[in-house]
């Protein structure tokens, strides 16, 4: 069983910055896809930049698709470790509190799913429960689990068998398009909540994202155990090696989910190395720490702002703009949310959703308060 080393888990600013980058990247990619409505109106004339549209779409796909969610999941695993280890240092077992925290996250995810059908918080909550038993294992067994997840067993089975899981992935999502393209907010919320979570979960399993999500949770926890996000010892050398592996793997590994993981590894390694090695980069990127400290609030807020811009119940921009203008709308969403973060954090230590989540997590229920068995 894993035992805490009783070393302090101080706030990691580079992790906050990476969360900010991940959420901003998620917003840009969602805006590129018009929050899943891009493909519902391909026969309509849209304002764009002609021959530039496809190269920009491809570049955004290469940099963002799957990579930002992988980074987001990595930092979820890091947060799980920090919270669990902090409680372990006090002699407390965090398991039931964390399970309750995942129940709350699932509820928050359902609210988000009613607004935007591409929500991931619901299946983050489900996969998060698996971290409770995994988090009790010693490192050697956690590495075995990570290796098994890395080979993408579901994706390998689909590739070699010629079959797909067929869990209403993309097909389920397509049933939403007509209502999202023509419906009111209430109608869109109803079908999004009815079909969205199952479709997102099915799509994730079919495309290796489910396995990869749990893998990134596990790797984030391991990064916390080894304190890789602190500038200690030989950690820069380790990040340098991970950068090389990430760059090479981006071009060499066979499956999309694996390539996404490799590219995400390269992005994280680059940011960490520059953060600790170049003060100018750290100063320039410091603003993203505000965005990252409110990552959950920002994730929910981007759903509301994005669907208000692109869906029929709002401005209906999915009919009128192509990829580049859609992406620029995403930049506008990021700027609005960034200003909100700066203003909010002048008076508060947590974002509004983060504060509610924390308060409900630590609600006074003796059932959740257990000591670690000696």
């Amino acid at each position: 069983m894993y035992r805490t080393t009783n070393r302090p888990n101080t706030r990691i600013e580079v992790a906050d910055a990476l969360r900010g980058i991940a959420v901003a990247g998620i917003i840009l990619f969602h805006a590129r896809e018009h929050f899943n409505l891009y493909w519902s109106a391909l026969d309509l004339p849209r304002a764009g930049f002609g021959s530039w549209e496809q190269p920009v779409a491809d570049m955004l796909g290469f940099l963002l698709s799957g990579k930002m969610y992988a980074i987001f999941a990595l930092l979820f695993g890091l947060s799980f470790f920090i919270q669990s280890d902090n409680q372990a240092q006090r002699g407390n077992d965090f398991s039931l509190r964390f399970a309750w925290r995942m129940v709350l996250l699932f509820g928050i995810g359902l609210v988000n799913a009613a607004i935007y059908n591409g929500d991931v918080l619901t299946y983050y909550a489900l996969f998060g429960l698996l971290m409770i038993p995994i988090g009790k294992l010693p490192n050697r067994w956690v590495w075995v689990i990570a290796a098994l997840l890395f080979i993408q067993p579901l994706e390998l089975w689909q590739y070699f068998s010629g079959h797909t899981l067929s869990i209403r992935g993309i097909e389920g999502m397509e049933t939403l398009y007509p209502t999202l393209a023509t419906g009111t907010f209430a109608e869109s919320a109803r079908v999004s909540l009815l079909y969205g979570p199952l479709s997102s979960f099915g799509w994730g399993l079919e495309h290796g994202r489910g396995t990869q999500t749990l893998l990134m949770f596990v790797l984030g926890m391991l990064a916390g155990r080894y304190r890789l996000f602190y500038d200690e010892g030989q950690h820069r050398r380790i990040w340098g090696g991970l950068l090389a592996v990430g760059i090479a793997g981006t071009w060499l590994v066979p499956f999309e989910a694996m390539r996404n993981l490799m590219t995400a590894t390269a992005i994280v390694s680059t940011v960490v190395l520059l953060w600790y090695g170049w003060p100018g980069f750290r100063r320039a990127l410091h603003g993203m720490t505000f965005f990252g400290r409110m990552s959950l609030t920002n994730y929910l807020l981007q759903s509301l702002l994005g669907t208000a811009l692109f869906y029929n119940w709002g401005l209906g921009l999915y009919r009128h703009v192509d990829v580049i203008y859609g992406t620029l709308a995403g930049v506008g969403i990021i700027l609005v949310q960034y200003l909100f973060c700066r203003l909010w954090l002048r008076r508060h230590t947590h974002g509004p959703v983060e504060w509610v989540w924390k308060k409900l997590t630590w609600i006074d229920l003796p059932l959740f308060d257990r000591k670690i068995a000696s």
Side-chain angles (χ1 to χ4, degrees):
M1 178 175 287
Y2 173 77
R3 298 289 184 184
T4 179
T5 58
N6 289 307
R7 300 182 70 181
N9 297 301
T10 55
R11 188 162 198 102
I12 308 171
E13 284 201 326
V14 68
D16 287 332
L18 281 165
R19 281 191 192 90
I21 291 170
V23 175
I26 288 168
I27 294 170
L28 286 181
F29 193 72
H30 286 171
R32 168 202 184 265
E33 296 185 321
H34 299 174
F35 284 74
N36 286 343
L37 267 187
Y38 180 79
W39 294 274
S40 67
L42 292 178
D43 57 336
L44 293 177
R46 288 163 158 166
F49 290 82
S51 61
W52 284 96
E53 293 293 327
Q54 193 58 51
V56 170
D58 292 343
M59 179 191 68
L60 291 171
F62 174 77
L63 290 175
L64 304 176
S65 179
K67 292 81 174 175
M68 298 297 105
Y69 273 121
I71 296 172
F72 203 40
L74 178 79
L75 298 168
F76 180 99
L78 176 65
S79 295
F80 165 77
F81 164 77
I82 291 173
Q83 291 171 328
S84 298
D85 195 66
N86 283 343
Q87 290 306 304
Q89 291 186 35
R90 299 182 178 98
N92 300 325
D93 185 342
F94 190 56
S95 299
L96 290 180
R97 283 282 177 188
F98 185 74
W100 168 238
R101 188 170 172 82
M102 292 301 96
V103 171
L104 295 170
L105 184 63
F106 189 85
I108 293 170
L110 289 178
V111 173
N112 189 54
I115 301 170
Y116 170 54
N117 53 83
D119 169 73
V120 299
L121 298 179
T122 48
Y123 76 84
Y124 268 40
L126 295 174
F127 283 121
L129 292 173
L130 297 175
M131 293 301 295
I132 296 173
I134 294 173
K136 296 181 182 299
L137 297 173
N139 288 348
R140 63 181 181 276
W141 290 112
V142 177
W143 278 114
V144 170
I145 292 172
L148 291 173
L149 293 170
F150 176 76
I151 64 174
Q152 300 284 153
L154 291 178
E155 196 168 47
L156 281 175
W157 176 80
Q158 292 180 97
Y159 179 80
F160 288 112
S161 70
H163 299 289
T164 62
L165 295 173
S166 299
I167 314 178
R168 292 172 63 188
I170 291 295
E171 297 81 3
M173 200 67 76
E174 286 175 349
T175 64
L176 302 172
Y177 291 159
T179 302
L180 301 180
T182 62
T184 63
F185 177 83
E187 291 168 340
S188 297
R190 183 184 66 81
V191 297
S192 291
L193 191 56
L194 184 61
Y195 297 108
L198 182 60
S199 297
S200 292
F201 188 79
W203 187 91
L205 289 181
E206 290 169 8
H207 293 78
R209 294 281 184 88
T211 308
Q212 186 187 85
T213 296
L214 183 56
L215 169 62
M216 297 310 286
F217 286 178
V218 170
L219 292 179
M221 182 187 73
L222 285 169
R225 289 185 178 185
Y226 291 110
R227 301 179 64 84
L228 288 183
F229 283 99
Y230 295 104
D231 192 23
E232 301 173 345
Q234 300 297 314
H235 291 171
R236 292 194 200 183
R237 183 175 297 178
I238 294 172
W239 285 113
L242 290 172
L243 174 59
V245 169
I247 293 172
T250 296
W251 305 105
L252 298 177
V253 296
F255 301 117
E256 179 186 4
M258 287 185 181
R259 289 194 297 272
N260 289 342
L261 171 61
M262 292 294 100
T263 307
T265 299
I267 293 171
V268 171
S269 301
T270 299
V271 171
V272 173
L273 287 169
L274 290 175
W275 183 275
Y276 288 122
W278 184 11
F281 178 85
R282 186 164 60 250
R283 287 192 296 270
L285 202 62
H286 187 263
M288 292 307 292
T289 62
F290 299 100
F291 210 74
R293 285 170 58 189
M294 291 175 52
S295 58
L296 184 58
T297 295
N298 283 324
Y299 184 72
L300 270 66
L301 188 57
Q302 62 97 28
S303 296
L304 182 60
L305 294 178
T307 54
L309 286 177
F310 289 101
Y311 284 14
N312 181 73
W313 64 264
L315 297 180
L317 289 184
Y318 81 94
R319 302 184 186 94
H320 307 297
V321 300
D322 215 321
V323 169
I324 295 178
Y325 279 125
T327 304
L328 290 174
V331 173
I333 292 173
I334 292 170
L335 291 175
V336 168
Q337 292 188 212
Y338 176 77
L339 290 174
F340 172 65
C341 291
R342 294 300 298 261
L343 291 172
W344 182 270
L345 290 174
R346 286 180 182 176
R347 296 179 176 272
H348 306 87
T349 58
H350 296 81
V353 182
E354 287 81 0
W355 183 84
V356 172
W357 194 23
K358 179 180 179 180
K359 287 295 182 182
L360 291 177
T361 295
W362 293 102
I363 192 170
D364 187 15
L365 290 175
L367 171 67
F368 295 154
D369 296 324
R370 298 192 306 172
K371 292 296 181 180
I372 296 174
S374 58

